[in-house]
Amino acid sequence: MSQRHTEAPACISMGGTANLFTLTEKSGIGAMTGTIDGAAYGEPTSDPSDVGNGRYEYTMYHVFLDKDGSRLRTQDQAVLHTPTDDGFSTLEVEYRVVEATGRFAGYGGVFRSRGWVSTPKGEDALQRHAVGVVRFEGEICRE
């Protein structure tokens, strides 16, 4: 009986996009397409630190879930550039893989996203939902 063994690639490109929607002041979800075809959940793990010029840095974690059941959990560094006159902020996140299952098992490393998030204004801003879109790039590799 002949068995075919297909070698897993050394690295997986993490390209794709996510449409974001905040659930609460401290949590959000994303509908994902690309390498991960599924969803993501994220929360900040630190308060934003004002580093000047409208930039705020903070840490986060994310759980990415693919439709095949594969999962990535990450610890992240985020930078939010506060809104310009158009009401949108730029969001950049660096994701460091800390757990990987399914087709991602055995892979690790860092990938990134960059995109835009609406930023509600006014007294009720925290109760209003922010929306946005980000694009992913980079790769994770066998460890």
Side-chain angles (χ1 to χ4, degrees):
M1 184 165 119
S2 172
Q3 285 188 341
R4 285 196 148 174
H5 178 70
T6 57
E7 189 68 32
C11 295
I12 298 173
S13 170
M14 293 304 294
T17 61
N19 293 302
L20 311 176
F21 182 81
T22 59
L23 297 171
T24 68
E25 178 186 357
K26 293 283 188 181
S27 66
I29 57 172
M32 299 193 60
T33 59
T35 300
I36 297 174
D37 187 8
Y41 175 84
E43 284 185 18
T45 55
S46 72
D47 289 326
S49 174
D50 185 344
V51 295
N53 289 337
R55 289 172 45 107
Y56 294 86
E57 295 182 355
Y58 53 99
T59 58
M60 300 185 73
Y61 82 88
H62 280 86
V63 176
F64 297 91
L65 183 62
D66 190 83
K67 68 182 181 184
D68 71 3
S70 298
R71 186 177 71 240
L72 288 174
R73 191 168 58 83
T74 63
Q75 292 179 342
D76 318 319
Q77 293 288 334
V79 178
L80 182 69
H81 302 266
T82 53
T84 56
D85 293 337
D86 62 7
F88 287 88
S89 297
T90 303
L91 178 64
E92 298 177 49
V93 181
E94 181 178 273
Y95 308 87
R96 181 168 304 283
V97 174
V98 295
E99 180 186 3
T101 69
R103 68 185 166 100
F104 301 122
Y107 288 84
V110 173
F111 60 102
R112 293 170 178 75
S113 70
R114 180 179 170 93
W116 292 267
V117 180
S118 69
T119 48
K121 293 180 180 160
E123 288 181 21
D124 64 342
L126 295 179
Q127 282 70 45
R128 294 175 40 208
H129 295 288
V131 296
V133 63
V134 298
R135 175 97 178 112
F136 293 89
E137 66 180 13
E139 60 185 17
I140 56 174
C141 296
R142 286 219 165 266
E143 296 188 311

